[in-house]
Amino acid sequence: MKKIDDITLSAMIEAAAGARANSYSPYSGFAVGAALLADDGMIYAGCNVENAAYPLGFCAEANAIGTMVMAGGHQIKAVVVAGPNADICTPCGGCRQQLREFVGPEDMPVIICDVDGNLLLETSLSEMLPNSFGPDTVNAVKDAGESL
Ligand code: THU
């Protein structure tokens, strides 16, 4: 797994903090920001956006992925998540799977920082989602024409 250089990491932490500042989280009061480094070298950020119909809310990571895809990014090289306090805010299970969709053949760093931008945890997607189900799993069957 490729390590992220310090300048890029700082830019990602700043982007995640900036996104967090725009969080719409009136129901949980739990503001989250996420920043993705994409294969095009760009950083894409997102915040959580909640809804009065609670299950319709979106996580910060999911919105960052949407921003990346919309802008033409194809692969995620690293993720930074910024939580609202001093505790470790790791991506929820659903977001781990959504991130998995856009990870290349190499694993990728997942970096968690606190509300002040301090690093709390450096892990990887494969550590957070071992033995994952992904596009290759589905495509192997589709490509072989084995379905049904
Ligand atoms: N949330 C995220 O945006 N990302 C995570 O990784 C964990 C949880 C949001 C969802 C909801 O708006 C709030 O945090 C509380 O769960």
Side-chain angles (χ1 to χ4, degrees):
M1 184 173 68
K2 226 174 135 203
K3 215 176 167 308
I4 302 304
D5 68 79
D6 288 348
I7 293 173
T8 306
L9 182 57
S10 297
M12 291 180 74
I13 291 172
E14 206 173 308
R20 208 186 77 77
N22 289 330
S23 164
Y24 177 74
S25 43
Y27 305 107
S28 70
F30 194 93
V32 184
L36 313 175
L37 176 65
D39 54 333
D40 59 4
M42 301 291 285
I43 294 169
Y44 298 103
C47 62
N48 54 333
V49 178
E50 298 183 347
N51 192 280
Y54 289 4
L56 297 182
F58 288 103
C59 284
E61 296 89 331
N63 281 326
I65 289 170
T67 305
M68 179 194 81
V69 170
M70 178 61 206
H74 296 103
Q75 244 179 46
I76 307 172
K77 299 295 185 190
V79 181
V80 169
V81 179
N85 55 18
D87 297 335
I88 293 172
C89 174
T90 46
C92 75
C95 284
R96 293 175 194 204
Q97 185 66 37
Q98 292 207 40
L99 291 165
R100 168 67 182 84
E101 185 71 19
F102 296 99
V103 173
E106 258 191 83
D107 199 5
M108 68 163 176
V110 177
I111 294 148
I112 313 300
C113 58
D114 70 9
V115 66
D116 296 318
N118 303 305
L119 291 191
L120 295 178
L121 177 70
E122 291 187 69
T123 181
S124 69
L125 190 68
S126 72
E127 272 178 37
M128 290 195 317
L129 194 68
N131 303 314
S132 65
F133 183 89
D136 294 350
T137 324
V138 176
N139 289 336
V141 170
K142 202 177 74 180
D143 295 346
E146 284 169 359
S147 202
L148 294 180

